Amino acid sequence: MTEVNSPPRLGGWTRFVTARPRLSLLVALVLTALAVVAGSGVADRLGSGGWEDPTAQSTYATKALEREFPASQPNLLLLVDSGSASVDDPAVTAEAARLTARLTGERGVIGVGSYWQTKSPSLRAKDGHEALIAAHLTGDEKTTTDTLDRIAPALRGTHGPVKVKVGGIVAVRHEMQTTIKEDLARAEMIALPVTLLLLVMVFGSAIAALLPLGIGIVAILGTNAVLRGLTEFTDVSVFALNLTTALGLGLAIDYALFIVRRFREELSTGAEPLPAIATTLRTAGRTVLFSALTVAVSLAAMLVFPMYFLRSFAYAGIAVVLLAAAAALILLPAALLLLGHRVNSLDLRRLFRRGRPAKASGEEGTAWARTAGLVMRRAPFFALATTAVLVLLGLPFLGVKFGTADDRQLPSGAESHVVQQHIRDGFPGNPGGTLEVLAEGRATPAQYTAYKSRIAQLPEVVRVDGPVVQGDSAYFTVLPKGEAVDTTAQRLVGALRATDAPFATKVTGTAAVLVDSKHAIASRLPWAAGLIAVVTLLLVFLLTGSVVIPLQAVLLNALSLTAMFGAVVWVFQDGHLSGLLGFTSTGSIETTLPVLMFCVAFGLSMDYGVFLLSRIKEEYDRTGDHNEAVRHGLQRTGGLITAAAVILAVVMVAIGTSRVTNTKMLGLGIALAVLMDAMIVRSLLVPAVMRLTGRATWWAPGWLRKVHDRFGLSEGGENPPRGAGNGATSHDVPADENGDGSLNESGGVRAIR
């Protein structure tokens, strides 16, 4: 730590970010204003699909059927309710014919058909009071949405003797997009004031509390501009906006909390603002950089998967993490230099002290020091007990069932959900569960008949319709036994694909999309997990110089997520608390959600892990006393990590108030994960495990010690003692020949300073 009267030793980064503080903040203000303009309207350009593998057989078949047989792939449904009359009543029939003709004449609408034209039993409700008009809207997501906006107002509502509701895939996606935009605006209105209040409680100073919030807003607005630019080149999911808000506020607040807290700590020792910033960047700044890299890597793993739903979260997550870190490492030091000791101004906590003196700086963290002491004295008990609790909470995930997202993601009162629910409950057959088999290649009627017969003999098949032939292509419609995506339907997909045919066949349908999505995730999951594990191990090794600590970090972080996965299955799959939380359980979890939640929650867990480990490492480098380093690290960061986790949980819970089930699951699940990580894993399990491993915690083979001496990063304190009298050896602490926080000149990497 810099002496009060000694001249500050400033590294290049410190000089860079503090050289023109007013100019830096002015440039940031201008860039933020430009980001507001560039990112405006981004939500209108985002898609609401992206769960399917674009290279899968089912995707190819769906697109081919849309192109060659649009009537086979209706994406717009009109539910016609005749009230007390029968749908075959002459007045109802006449009005339905007018609606069908009107829809047929609309631009961008093809493949219009209705019960009144075909008399198909599948288009007529079992009670005889509802029937369907089906059509296909042409074009991509944005085009079909524009078409729906244009034609839907004139179609829905009362028309003579009938009432019409609008449903179908296009309507579901459009309503989901609109709902998410509205929910996100509400979540921001909840999260921002509550977050500011919590920051004031943490810092006391209103000035200090506003700094993290400002960094978060810069990160969110910048990421919106990045996503807007990406929509010019690729599909981006509207769900990614939720992650932008959550991580933008959460991580920016984490990083700013860590930096502002360390800056104020340095000021409290008597340091002037500039040396305090230099020390802060050498220590907390380096930690923020490491944290941002680990979180970005966890999110980047989603780029391995082909679904644009997952890739969109990687785009948004990487952008918001890097922008939050950049703002914390560039703009925040400039603001702190200008504020100086005024960062402690407007201490609002004085209003609640009622004359009681503020705690002395030496008293700060004594409760956490006592907690660390208790945990380390009873390390075996705490290690076993916390592990057992986490494993127990994760047990429900063993019964996970994977499915696909549908209209039940929406609130029960949403029009498109109402239409689809009426079809599920009141229409014959298995609506939404049929499979289509696309046949490509010239064939004779006898060959089609023989193939249809082979399909009909499969044990999972109820009925086969078709073929519908056009040129050299045809398709069959297959109705499976059971539910739309249960194991029977999935088994039938494999059987259909294995059935011999004299022409090329491709299978699509809800169950086929699920089978292909599960295969795409399973085949790439080892690569994603391997990327996260290898890069995390490398970064934590560079941080600590140990091979034991990186392994502990990966294993304990993964363990911290068990409660989240168990809760997701118990609540959202099994339906517990569905009434309280306001969602419709489908009996399954959308296939991509566990991958998304793992990548996000693992990255956030590493975020807190890096905060704790960096402070432990700093103290261990200073004293060489392992137990004291663990105690000191928890004392100094326990309250900070808990505060950061609570604030991030508030943001995630605000996101979890969404009326869309997947967003609710994401927000509430990750809120639970970060709280469990901060309050159980970081506070109890990590210090207990580090106490059990003792000095062996810092072990590394000789050749890796040399690698760390050359490429690792040091906290860079001013000539810290080298393990005085406690057994620390020269390889435990990298040489600091320059005395300014950089490593020696033999190629060592300089820390941010």
Side-chain angles (χ1 to χ4, degrees):
M1 204 172 290
T2 306
E3 298 292 338
V4 176
N5 296 320
S6 63
R9 301 191 177 196
L10 305 180
W13 186 258
T14 303
R15 287 195 298 270
F16 171 72
V17 298
T18 59
R20 303 275 195 284
R22 289 183 176 81
L23 179 61
S24 297
L25 295 177
L26 179 61
V27 170
L29 182 62
V30 172
L31 291 176
T32 302
L34 293 175
V36 171
V37 176
S40 62
V42 62
D44 296 328
R45 298 183 60 86
L46 303 180
S48 54
W51 289 286
E52 66 280 351
D53 177 3
T55 63
Q57 180 185 135
S58 57
T59 305
Y60 172 87
T62 299
K63 291 181 177 179
L65 289 170
E66 288 177 349
R67 184 176 61 252
E68 302 295 335
F69 305 95
S72 72
Q73 299 288 300
N75 53 15
L76 176 67
L77 298 174
L78 302 184
L79 180 68
V80 181
D81 184 352
S82 59
S84 59
S86 167
V87 293
D88 295 310
D89 183 273
V92 173
T93 300
E95 187 60 41
R98 282 192 291 272
L99 286 169
T100 303
R102 179 171 187 168
L103 187 58
T104 302
E106 293 286 357
R107 186 176 71 258
V109 181
I110 61 176
V112 180
S114 73
Y115 161 74
W116 295 272
Q117 291 174 322
T118 65
K119 296 300 180 180
S120 171
S122 63
L123 298 178
R124 182 180 186 271
K126 288 178 283 190
D127 66 4
H129 297 300
E130 292 178 330
L132 295 173
I133 300 174
H136 183 82
L137 306 189
T138 60
D140 57 18
E141 273 191 45
K142 187 175 187 311
T143 303
T144 56
T145 297
D146 291 343
T147 302
L148 182 69
D149 281 336
R150 175 168 48 84
I151 67 176
L155 294 172
R156 65 167 54 96
T158 301
H159 298 268
V162 301
K163 292 182 179 179
V164 178
K165 290 185 174 68
V166 178
I169 295 173
V170 171
V172 170
R173 289 181 172 177
H174 181 46
E175 205 156 2
M176 193 173 294
Q177 188 177 43
T178 302
T179 303
I180 287 173
K181 287 164 56 179
E182 294 171 354
D183 290 348
L184 185 60
R186 187 183 67 253
E188 290 172 346
M189 294 297 292
I190 295 171
L192 287 173
V194 176
T195 297
L196 180 59
L197 177 62
L198 290 173
L199 286 170
V200 169
M201 292 172 64
V202 171
F203 283 125
S205 163
I207 299 298
L210 287 170
L211 293 174
L213 207 59
I215 298 298
I217 291 172
V218 168
I220 292 170
L221 295 176
T223 303
N224 285 343
V226 171
L227 293 180
R228 173 62 180 81
L230 286 173
T231 60
E232 299 292 335
F233 309 101
T234 187
D235 293 321
V236 181
S237 172
V238 69
F239 286 91
L241 287 180
N242 295 291
L243 189 68
T244 297
T245 296
L247 290 187
L249 283 177
L251 288 179
I253 287 171
D254 283 359
Y255 298 157
L257 266 175
F258 207 61
I259 288 176
V260 173
R261 178 72 171 270
R262 188 58 185 259
F263 177 72
R264 296 176 76 190
E265 186 179 316
E266 295 301 319
L267 290 182
S268 71
T269 66
E272 291 300 316
L274 188 57
I277 288 174
T279 302
T280 298
L281 289 177
R282 283 200 305 271
T283 53
R286 192 280 308 263
T287 302
V288 165
L289 178 61
F290 262 84
S291 172
L293 290 175
T294 55
V295 177
V297 167
S298 294
L299 297 172
M302 287 185 284
L303 294 173
V304 171
F305 301 97
M307 299 85 161
Y308 86 73
F309 174 79
L310 286 176
R311 298 173 72 89
S312 298
F313 283 93
Y315 304 147
I318 293 171
V320 77
V321 168
L322 296 182
L323 285 171
L329 295 174
I330 298 173
L331 303 182
L332 193 53
L336 291 174
L337 180 62
L338 292 176
L339 287 171
H341 290 276
R342 287 174 295 177
V343 73
N344 296 317
S345 300
L346 299 178
D347 187 353
L348 301 181
R349 288 185 299 192
R350 288 181 301 178
L351 300 175
F352 306 99
R353 290 191 189 120
R354 296 182 179 181
R356 289 176 297 171
K359 289 184 180 180
S361 60
E363 297 178 40
E364 182 181 6
T366 53
W368 285 103
R370 288 195 297 269
T371 299
L374 174 63
V375 170
M376 295 176 74
R377 285 194 303 273
R378 302 286 187 270
F381 168 78
F382 281 100
L384 290 174
T386 53
T387 300
V389 168
L390 291 172
V391 170
L392 182 65
L393 291 174
L395 288 180
F397 192 71
L398 296 176
V400 66
K401 298 175 183 177
F402 293 108
T404 56
D406 59 24
D407 59 281
R408 286 170 289 185
Q409 293 284 312
L410 290 166
S412 58
E415 183 183 31
S416 57
H417 184 173
V418 170
V419 170
Q420 300 303 130
Q421 195 63 46
H422 273 246
I423 294 172
R424 270 190 294 272
D425 296 340
F427 283 70
N430 186 8
T434 58
L435 297 170
E436 288 83 32
V437 181
L438 172 68
E440 294 181 307
R442 191 174 297 278
T444 64
Q447 288 175 318
Y448 285 134
T449 300
Y451 178 68
K452 180 178 180 179
S453 177
R454 285 195 290 274
I455 293 176
Q457 293 173 11
L458 295 173
E460 300 88 358
V461 172
V462 174
R463 188 180 72 246
V464 184
D465 296 326
V468 178
V469 182
Q470 181 171 304
D472 292 341
S473 299
Y475 77 91
F476 300 82
T477 301
V478 182
L479 181 65
K481 296 177 181 178
E483 298 296 326
V485 293
D486 64 8
T487 54
T488 300
Q490 294 179 56
R491 190 164 57 246
L492 178 57
V493 172
L496 289 172
R497 289 173 175 174
T499 301
D500 291 334
F503 34 72
T505 61
K506 302 285 190 299
V507 181
T508 189
T510 306
V513 171
L514 175 59
V515 168
D516 290 339
S517 296
K518 288 167 66 176
H519 173 74
I521 289 175
S523 63
R524 293 166 174 83
L525 192 58
W527 293 99
L531 173 65
I532 292 174
V534 169
V535 177
T536 300
L537 290 171
L538 176 61
L539 288 173
V540 178
F541 168 73
L542 291 175
L543 176 71
T544 63
S546 163
V547 296
V548 177
I549 292 177
L551 292 172
Q552 287 179 353
V554 171
L555 293 176
L556 298 185
N557 280 5
L559 184 62
S560 73
L561 307 184
T562 54
M564 174 185 72
F565 285 124
V568 161
V569 170
W570 191 78
V571 174
F572 291 95
Q573 175 181 294
D574 299 340
H576 298 102
L577 306 181
S578 58
L580 177 64
L581 297 177
F583 69 91
T584 302
S585 173
T586 62
S588 62
I589 301 297
E590 203 284 317
T591 318
T592 59
L593 257 293
V595 175
L596 167 63
M597 296 177 75
F598 174 83
C599 292
V600 174
F602 187 91
L604 293 174
S605 296
M606 280 306 305
D607 182 43
Y608 300 139
V610 167
F611 286 174
L612 177 59
L613 290 174
S614 65
R615 201 60 188 259
I616 293 174
K617 178 66 163 63
E618 179 184 357
E619 184 66 12
Y620 183 72
D621 283 352
R622 190 179 70 83
T623 66
D625 186 330
H626 171 73
N627 291 343
E628 175 59 22
V630 175
R631 187 201 64 79
H632 179 85
L634 187 59
Q635 177 185 1
R636 287 298 188 180
T637 63
L640 182 66
I641 290 173
T642 301
V646 169
I647 292 171
L648 179 56
V650 166
V651 177
M652 296 308 305
V653 168
I655 297 295
T657 62
S658 173
R659 292 164 291 170
V660 176
T661 304
N662 274 357
T663 305
K664 187 186 297 291
M665 189 187 309
L666 177 67
L668 298 182
I670 292 179
L672 176 62
V674 298
L675 290 175
M676 293 295 292
D677 184 79
M679 297 180 179
I680 303 297
V681 176
R682 302 301 146 203
S683 302
L684 303 176
L685 187 56
V686 169
V689 170
M690 294 188 79
R691 174 66 180 87
L692 291 175
T693 53
R695 284 292 303 269
T697 303
W698 305 97
W699 178 84
W703 67 275
L704 277 179
R705 289 200 296 268
K706 293 177 182 178
V707 171
H708 183 264
D709 288 345
R710 183 174 179 85
F711 298 108
L713 286 93
S714 167
E715 283 288 6
E718 296 290 338
N719 298 318
R722 303 293 193 227
N726 43 36
T729 58
S730 61
H731 62 257
D732 289 319
V733 184
D736 183 6
E737 297 177 0
N738 303 314
D740 62 355
S742 62
L743 297 181
N744 60 45
E745 307 230 349
S746 63
V749 180
R750 293 175 181 268
I752 290 183
R753 5 181 221 105

